[in-house]
């Protein structure tokens, strides 16, 4: 297992000899047990890389070693603690709050799903903590890097790798 290390205080991400700028949640980082839905805080800890979601026509999946799939119209991620599918992929529209995985910006052209609060999900302790593309501003709790950096890093990642946020 290899670790992607995120230094939340310095805004740096490293993987082996590779180092790059990254952004985290606009509320900074917090202890994972204190993470709450909607707090815009990035949870500290070690989170397995579960898989990759790619927007068709935006990224070439050639060379990826992590499991991946295309994002389709109607794909979402439940962020409603009252939803039985909380912190899971869902189909939209839905009777509960859920984030669309097809966005007007490019942030979700690449989504690496982090294994935060997912086995099993605890309602209200944070959902949709992803590693995705940066839009040049802090995130709602995710870790983000520029497109060129993500495309350099993505083919190096292997099943069993994890992200450590310190």
């Amino acid at each position: 297992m290899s670790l992607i290390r995120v230094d939340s205080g310095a805004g740096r991400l490293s993987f082996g000899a590779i180092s790059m700028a990254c952004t985290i949640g606009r509320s900074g980082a917090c202890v994972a047990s204190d993470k709450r839905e909607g707090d815009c805080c990035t949870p500290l800890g070690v989170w397995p890389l579960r898989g990759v979601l790619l927007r068709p026509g935006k990224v070439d999946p050639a060379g990826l070693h992590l499991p991946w799939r295309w994002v389709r119209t109607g794909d979402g991620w439940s962020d409603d603690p009252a939803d039985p599918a909380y912190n899971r992929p869902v189909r939209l529209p839905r009777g509960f709050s859920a984030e669309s995985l097809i966005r007007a910006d490019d942030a979700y052209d690449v989504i690496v799903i982090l294994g935060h609060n997912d086995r099993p999900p605890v309602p209200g302790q944070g959902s949709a903590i992803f590693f995705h593309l940066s839009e040049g501003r802090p995130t709602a709790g995710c870790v983000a890097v520029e497109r060129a950096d993500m495309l350099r890093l993505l083919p190096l990642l292997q099943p069993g790798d994890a992200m450590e946020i310190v």
Side-chain angles (χ1 to χ4, degrees):
M1 172 179 89
S2 296
L3 286 177
I4 300 170
R5 188 168 195 276
V6 174
D7 182 333
S8 60
R12 298 296 297 176
L13 179 149
S14 58
F15 186 74
I18 298 172
S19 179
M20 60 191 68
C22 69
T23 57
I24 63 167
R26 54 185 160 271
S27 297
C30 63
V31 175
S33 60
D34 293 340
K35 173 76 181 136
R36 296 296 176 262
E37 187 65 43
D39 64 4
C40 295
C41 186
T42 301
L44 299 170
V46 177
W47 312 116
L49 308 182
R50 300 288 190 216
V52 181
L53 303 174
L54 300 173
R55 193 163 173 184
K58 299 284 190 164
V59 179
D60 181 357
L64 290 185
H65 302 285
L66 293 173
W68 68 274
R69 75 167 179 82
W70 298 116
V71 174
R72 303 173 313 266
T73 301
D75 281 350
W77 201 274
S78 174
D79 59 9
D80 188 335
D83 188 346
Y86 178 69
N87 198 28
R88 300 261 191 245
V90 294
R91 295 293 297 159
L92 303 174
R94 186 165 182 80
F96 295 91
S97 174
E99 181 176 2
S100 176
L101 298 182
I102 301 285
R103 292 176 39 156
D105 62 23
D106 294 332
Y108 281 5
D109 287 358
V110 177
I111 301 169
V112 179
I113 303 164
L114 300 180
H116 169 264
N117 190 32
D118 68 342
R119 299 233 172 131
V122 177
Q125 289 194 344
S127 65
I129 302 298
F130 301 138
F131 174 38
H132 62 73
L133 301 182
S134 175
E135 288 293 301
R137 61 185 180 275
T139 69
C142 299
V143 175
V145 296
E146 294 298 322
R147 177 182 294 271
D149 289 330
M150 177 69 83
L151 295 179
R152 181 170 51 135
L153 184 61
L154 208 52
L156 304 175
L157 302 176
Q158 300 287 327
D161 288 352
M163 178 173 281
E164 178 183 30
I165 303 170
V166 298

